[in-house]
């Protein structure tokens, strides 16, 4: 028996070894220019094995009011069933794209998952615990003490639709249709949320409303090959371009499908128009638009050098306003019309002189003026969240 098992292990070893050195398969399969077949197979094996270990839903739990950004740590992120109060409505925060992630990265452990969350929501979570300068409707009670706060993280390099399925599965496991659940989503997180609410696994209708912040419903020019091909120099913005499935899902689309309103300006490269089938299929499905509230940031071409914005977003704004075609209204990454779902959402808001990171309540510019603007934005969003939850039966 041991010899038989040893033989099987030996056969498996040499089989895997042969996959690792199978460049000869190129004679029959034509891979992308930048990756050999062996590299593709390794990517597939790694991503398939670890794919379901990179997402998680946590409850944000603390006994400390008025927390500072630097004080947030993994200690405050618990199992979603931890000290559950079923009488309170639930707010679920979901972050956007991490350009540094790749499918071949090692699985994200708990500390990495928390780091991903805090990368977007550190300032927002601190605001949530504040007991002064509260949003309208909360009286003298913090957002944290008014609602239960949850956060969802995921591998952003993976397909948006698959992450949507993971998101709705996680919410189905944690909540019921009787819970009041509002999702507050930044950037790609809004697309994952839209994919979740449209997914066949959404059988419980646990999501009552989605509030998106700078979500590229029609994509972003920086993920569009037609647009980036027209730029002679993109400087620091090169890091926002990716060949991952998640990055490809952010590619700009002109609105060419039936039931999808064309967006302006369109991106073309000769006769080749920007088209993203996945995004257009989600846009065409309007069944959940009435429970979608969208916020779009507008730095405006005149604010690209404003020091209330981080260096990356000032550079991004300069590039996107001078590209082909120019996008004069954007948060530096997402065109305003794209973030506003091209006018098709139930409710829409434009936030003036707000860059893409500030849309999620961060202040990478580092100035007092920027922090004040971000806090005002937070108060406006969570005042609306209070109104939305109050209207849920």
């Amino acid at each position: 028996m041991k010899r038989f098992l040893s033989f099987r292990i030996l056969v498996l070893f040499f089989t895997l070894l042969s996959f690792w050195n199978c460049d000869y398969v190129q004679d029959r399969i034509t891979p992308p220019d930048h990756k050999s077949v062996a590299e593709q197979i390794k990517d597939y094996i790694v991503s398939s094995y670890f794919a379901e270990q990179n997402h998680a839903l946590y409850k944000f739990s603390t006994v400390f009011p008025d927390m500072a950004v630097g004080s947030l740590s993994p200690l405050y992120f618990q199992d979603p069933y931890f000290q559950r109060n079923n009488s309170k409505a639930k707010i679920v925060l979901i972050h956007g794209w991490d350009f540094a992630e790749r499918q071949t990265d090692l699985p994200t452990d708990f500390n990495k998952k928390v780091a991903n969350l805090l990368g977007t929501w550190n300032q927002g979570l601190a605001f949530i615990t504040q007991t002064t300068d509260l949003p309208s409707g909360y009286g003298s009670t913090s957002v944290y003490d008014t609602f239960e706060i949850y956060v969802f993280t995921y591998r952003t390099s993976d397909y948006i639709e698959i992450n949507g399925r993971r998101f709705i599965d996680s919410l189905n496991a944690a909540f019921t249709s009787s819970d009041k659940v509002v999702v507050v989503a930044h950037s790609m997180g809004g697309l994952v949320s839209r994919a979740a609410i449209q997914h066949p696994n959404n059988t419980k209708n646990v999501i009552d409303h989605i509030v998106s912040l700078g979500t590229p419903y029609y994509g972003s020019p920086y993920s569009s090959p037609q647009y980036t091909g027209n730029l002679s120099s993109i400087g620091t913005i090169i890091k926002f371009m990716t060949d991952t499935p998640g990055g490809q899902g952010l590619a700009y689309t002109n609105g060419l499908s039936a039931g999808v309103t064309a967006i302006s300006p369109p991106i073309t490269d000769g006769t080749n128009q920007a088209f993203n089938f996945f995004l257009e299929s989600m846009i065409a499905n309007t069944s959940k638009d009435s429970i979608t509230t969208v916020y779009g940031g507008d730095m405006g071409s005149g604010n690209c050098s404003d020091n209330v914005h981080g260096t990356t977003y000032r550079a991004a704004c300069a590039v996107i306003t001078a590209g082909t075609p120019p996008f004069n209204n954007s948060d530096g990454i997402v065109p305003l019309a794209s973030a506003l779902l091209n006018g098709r959402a139930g409710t829409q808001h434009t936030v003036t002189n707000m860059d893409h990171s500030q849309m999620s309540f961060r202040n990478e510019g580092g100035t007092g003026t920027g922090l004040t603007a971000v806090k005002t934005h937070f108060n406006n969003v969570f005042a609306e969240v209070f109104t939305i939850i109050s209207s849920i039966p």
Side-chain angles (χ1 to χ4, degrees):
M1 183 66 178
K2 290 183 178 179
R3 290 182 179 178
F4 178 71
L5 289 175
S6 298
F7 177 77
R8 291 182 62 182
I9 292 171
L10 192 61
V11 169
L12 178 60
F13 172 79
F14 280 108
T15 300
L16 291 174
L17 186 63
S18 67
F19 278 127
W20 247 253
N21 297 278
C22 60
D23 288 343
Y24 68 89
V25 180
Q26 289 178 332
D27 294 336
R28 298 183 181 180
I29 302 175
T30 304
D33 294 338
H34 64 287
K35 281 190 176 182
S36 69
V37 174
E39 290 174 320
Q40 291 182 75
I41 291 174
K42 284 188 285 187
D43 288 354
Y44 176 79
I45 292 172
V46 172
S47 62
S48 296
Y49 184 77
F50 295 121
E52 299 304 317
Q53 302 184 41
N54 298 308
H55 64 279
L57 178 70
Y58 299 117
K59 184 183 179 187
F60 177 62
S61 180
T62 179
V63 296
F64 301 108
D66 301 307
M67 298 186 72
V69 173
S71 66
L72 298 174
S73 74
L75 294 174
Y76 302 106
F77 297 90
Q78 305 292 336
D79 181 273
Y81 300 99
F82 179 75
Q83 296 182 343
R84 175 74 65 87
N85 184 340
N86 291 326
S87 67
K88 287 187 175 182
K90 324 298 181 187
I91 297 175
V92 182
L93 307 178
I94 176 171
H95 62 76
W97 183 41
D98 180 354
F99 60 82
E101 282 190 327
R102 291 294 181 270
Q103 293 293 78
T104 52
D105 289 349
L106 292 174
T108 50
D109 60 16
F110 173 69
N111 289 330
K112 174 60 176 173
K113 288 182 173 73
V114 171
N116 289 344
L117 293 166
L118 292 180
T120 294
W121 299 118
N122 53 354
Q123 184 69 73
L125 289 170
F127 286 156
I128 280 171
T129 67
Q130 284 189 353
T131 57
T132 58
D133 187 21
L134 298 174
S136 175
Y138 292 82
S140 59
T141 307
S142 68
V143 177
Y144 176 82
D145 288 327
T146 304
F147 304 120
E148 288 196 329
I149 309 299
Y150 297 81
V151 286
F152 182 79
T153 185
Y154 58 101
R155 175 65 60 85
T156 63
S157 60
D158 209 346
Y159 292 95
I160 293 170
E161 184 176 17
I162 293 175
N163 280 323
R165 186 264 300 166
R166 291 168 180 147
F167 188 33
I168 197 61
D169 286 349
S170 297
L171 296 184
N172 282 340
F175 308 127
T176 69
S177 57
S178 62
D179 289 315
K180 296 180 180 181
V181 178
V182 172
V183 174
V184 177
H186 179 241
S187 195
M188 178 191 274
L191 297 179
V192 172
S193 301
R194 191 170 178 87
I197 209 168
Q198 294 181 0
H199 198 278
N201 288 9
N202 183 28
T203 56
K204 297 182 179 181
N205 287 317
V206 293
I207 299 176
D208 292 292
H209 206 98
I210 296 171
V211 178
S212 66
L213 313 170
T215 290
Y217 288 104
Y218 276 73
S220 170
Y222 289 118
S223 291
S224 172
Q226 292 86 3
Y227 187 73
T228 57
N230 289 332
L231 298 177
S232 59
S233 174
I234 56 176
T236 60
I237 312 307
I238 188 68
K239 67 182 181 180
F240 286 98
M241 300 165 58
T242 181
D243 60 357
T244 65
Q248 291 171 353
L250 299 174
Y252 194 81
T253 195
N254 287 345
L256 305 174
S257 303
V260 179
T261 306
I263 196 168
S264 180
I267 294 177
T268 59
D269 184 5
T271 60
N272 187 18
Q273 294 206 54
F275 179 71
N276 184 328
F277 173 80
F278 173 68
L279 290 188
E280 298 219 1
S281 65
M282 288 211 298
I283 296 167
N285 185 342
T286 62
S287 61
K288 303 296 183 181
D289 284 359
S290 63
I291 59 170
T292 302
T293 295
V294 298
Y295 285 78
D298 184 12
M299 292 177 69
S301 58
N303 294 320
C304 290
S305 59
D306 194 329
N307 64 5
V308 302
H309 305 295
T311 303
T312 295
Y313 299 98
R314 294 200 301 269
C317 178
V319 169
I320 203 172
T321 57
T324 306
F327 289 86
N328 294 319
N329 303 99
S330 76
D331 61 11
I333 302 298
V334 179
L336 180 61
S338 178
L340 297 182
L341 194 49
N342 206 17
R344 302 230 347 215
T347 305
Q348 66 178 44
H349 303 277
T350 298
V351 189
T352 304
N353 199 18
M354 188 70 53
D355 67 45
H356 193 63
S357 68
Q358 291 173 327
M359 290 301 295
S360 63
F361 320 124
R362 287 173 288 170
N363 181 40
E364 295 188 11
T367 68
T369 302
L371 183 61
T372 300
V374 165
K375 184 58 167 65
T376 299
H377 172 48
F378 172 88
N379 283 355
N380 291 338
V381 170
F382 276 85
E384 182 152 26
V385 167
F386 185 92
T387 301
I388 290 168
I389 291 176
S390 298
S391 67
I392 298 173

